[in-house]
Amino acid sequence: MIGSDGERYLDFGAGIAVNSLGHAHPHLVSALTEQAQKIWHTSNLFQMPGGEKLARRLADATFADKVFFTNSGAEALECAIKMARKYQSANGHPERFRIITFEGAFHGRTLATIAAGGQAKYLEGFGPKVDGFDQIAFGDHEVLDRAITPETAAILVEPIQGEGGIRTLPHACLKGMRELCDAKGLLLIFDEVQTGVGRTGKLFAHEWAGVTPDIMAVAKGIGGGFPMGACLATDEAAKGMTAGVHGTTFGGNPLAMAVGNAVLDIVLEESFLEHVAKAGLLLRQRLAELKDRFPDIIEEIRGEGLMLGLRTRMTPGEFVGALRAQKLVAIPAGDNVTRLLPPLIISDEELLEGVRRIEAACVALSRKPMTAGH
Ligand SMILES: Cc1ncc(COP(=O)(O)O)c(C=O)c1O
């Protein structure tokens, strides 16, 4: 990235895990410009071959049978929330409309998704919180079990919390949730808006745990920078969502579908995900070395693949500022964590250059008097 001042920056933020294939990837540019010369919009009253193709490819690559395209992550979540409620209602349980979510979650900025996220700073000043969300502690199975009531419809969780500070839900917790949902007739919804489409070294992060959801929200990386999202579901979970029950004007438009297909061309290439996993390991190793050398600055390294977080002993704002001074872009998150989310096509050379800049930032910070981060 080149700043308005002409300075070159190494981008370890990728638009918050969006530019999965970097900026202006030639395959994406040609897919978009080719489509732009044909047709931009028809409304989904008409068949859209690009959308059908992308939906089929997503379904073939995942647990899902059905795909609903949206323009953003929050809309994908709205679809997921509505689908879970509709499923219970269609099964004769309209009283089951509540969804259990987790402390530190982030699911978007619509009225329903700020209620799902449950964070005061996003809820304040917007009137009564949308009803139907029960938030509990992260990673406590007993608490989860007790939180399920006859009104519970579903459990909604990010396999790795992004905004919350790269907090990975232990695989055993995801397995436990799947079992609870199966035993109690609930739906399991994964929010893979930030973790999905290769970010963690698997196509979707839940694959690491070997657990599949009933519904999954996806966005960010799926469009490589073009605004789009998707809600994926099994036939069973989607059974209440018959034609006309939910809709969108722009979701699944031909431009987005052309880019989405082009992103998948690359992400599904043999060895692409292997590259992400390897690059992630290399980055993690080098960061661990930095943690050993600068224990007064770096406290912990978290995450999976190229979704890594550095928990620091100063505020993420201060750490991100120090990285910026070394011409490295990173993203602050909750829990005193700075996120490193480079494009998935990053080379080893670029990755090591990034580590050199993080090291330089640590050297600069260790010479400064420190302010307490937590
Ligand atoms: C896990 C997660 N869910 C949902 C969203 C909301 O996506 P959008 O901003 O595209 O509405 C985000 C955005 O950061 C996210 O990280």
Side-chain angles (χ1 to χ4, degrees):
M1 286 202 304
I2 301 173
S4 53
D5 53 0
E7 288 284 359
R8 292 179 75 86
Y9 289 82
L10 197 52
D11 185 4
F12 271 38
I16 319 193
V18 168
N19 305 108
S20 43
L21 304 178
H23 299 276
H25 189 289
H27 186 57
L28 271 52
V29 171
S30 78
L32 182 60
T33 48
E34 237 172 68
Q35 185 58 46
Q37 283 157 21
K38 293 182 197 160
I39 196 160
W40 292 21
H41 184 80
T42 58
S43 114
N44 49 22
L45 293 170
F46 300 90
Q47 232 181 337
M48 294 205 272
E52 284 181 14
K53 179 176 169 191
L54 184 54
R56 201 168 303 117
R57 293 173 84 188
L58 287 169
D60 285 348
T62 65
F63 70 95
D65 306 304
K66 293 245 166 30
V67 182
F68 179 85
F69 291 111
T70 66
N71 308 290
S72 67
E75 281 174 86
L77 263 308
E78 285 277 343
C79 176
I81 293 162
K82 285 178 73 178
M83 190 186 294
R85 290 181 173 195
K86 195 74 172 176
Y87 167 83
Q88 298 293 0
S89 166
N91 267 355
H93 290 290
E95 76 287 359
R96 286 190 173 190
F97 70 97
R98 307 194 70 82
I99 295 179
I100 295 176
T101 67
F102 296 86
E103 212 178 71
F106 184 81
H107 298 298
R109 303 285 193 139
T110 61
L111 287 170
T113 54
I114 55 174
Q119 297 198 39
K121 64 181 176 186
Y122 299 133
L123 284 160
E124 207 179 294
F126 295 113
K129 182 178 155 191
V130 170
D131 191 21
F133 298 95
D134 299 313
Q135 192 157 79
I136 61 165
F138 187 77
D140 188 329
H141 194 78
E142 297 281 291
V143 172
L144 173 60
D145 202 5
R146 280 200 306 274
I148 296 170
T149 73
E151 290 187 342
T152 306
I155 298 172
L156 166 61
V157 68
E158 296 158 83
I160 303 175
Q161 284 187 348
E163 305 294 313
I166 313 289
R167 296 205 297 164
T168 303
L169 199 71
H171 296 170
C173 287
L174 289 178
K175 288 197 176 98
M177 283 179 190
R178 179 71 272 171
E179 283 159 18
L180 268 181
C181 285
D182 291 343
K184 303 199 174 187
L186 312 180
L187 294 181
L188 184 57
I189 308 171
F190 287 161
D191 178 346
E192 291 237 23
V193 166
Q194 197 161 143
T195 49
V197 197
R199 174 57 51 193
T200 68
K202 295 270 188 202
L203 189 55
F204 290 101
H206 66 258
E207 294 169 35
W208 288 110
V211 172
T212 56
D214 302 293
I215 305 174
M216 175 169 72
V218 182
K220 290 186 180 276
I222 193 174
F226 196 91
M228 66 174 290
C231 179
L232 280 65
T234 61
D235 273 332
E236 173 66 11
K239 74 181 187 188
M241 302 297 263
T242 49
V245 161
H246 189 57
T248 170
T249 295
F250 293 118
N253 72 80
L255 295 172
M257 297 299 98
V259 181
N261 273 304
V263 168
L264 273 198
D265 288 344
I266 292 174
V267 173
L268 294 180
E269 256 174 24
E270 228 187 301
S271 82
F272 184 88
L273 293 173
E274 221 173 277
H275 159 77
V276 176
K278 263 198 203 145
L281 272 182
L282 177 60
L283 181 55
R284 214 192 160 95
Q285 266 168 10
R286 293 303 158 99
L287 293 172
E289 288 163 19
L290 290 185
K291 175 180 166 284
D292 290 345
R293 278 184 52 207
F294 300 98
D296 293 340
I297 295 175
I298 302 174
E299 192 182 343
E300 191 188 337
I301 296 151
R302 300 174 170 180
E304 191 71 64
L306 288 173
M307 183 176 184
L308 294 179
L310 296 176
R311 189 162 203 259
T312 57
R313 297 191 192 275
M314 69 266 308
T315 63
E318 196 179 345
F319 194 65
V320 165
L323 295 175
R324 187 81 54 91
Q326 303 299 330
K327 312 290 178 251
L328 185 91
V329 175
I331 312 280
D335 205 21
N336 250 45
V337 165
T338 294
R339 278 174 284 180
L340 302 175
L341 307 160
L344 308 182
I345 53 170
I346 194 166
S347 66
D348 285 359
E349 227 169 67
E350 291 161 329
L351 197 144
L352 295 175
E353 177 55 30
V355 173
R356 269 191 289 278
R357 294 183 193 196
I358 298 169
E359 178 186 4
C362 289
V363 169
L365 282 166
S366 55
R367 291 192 183 126
K368 259 178 62 176
M370 223 166 306
T371 49
H374 55 273

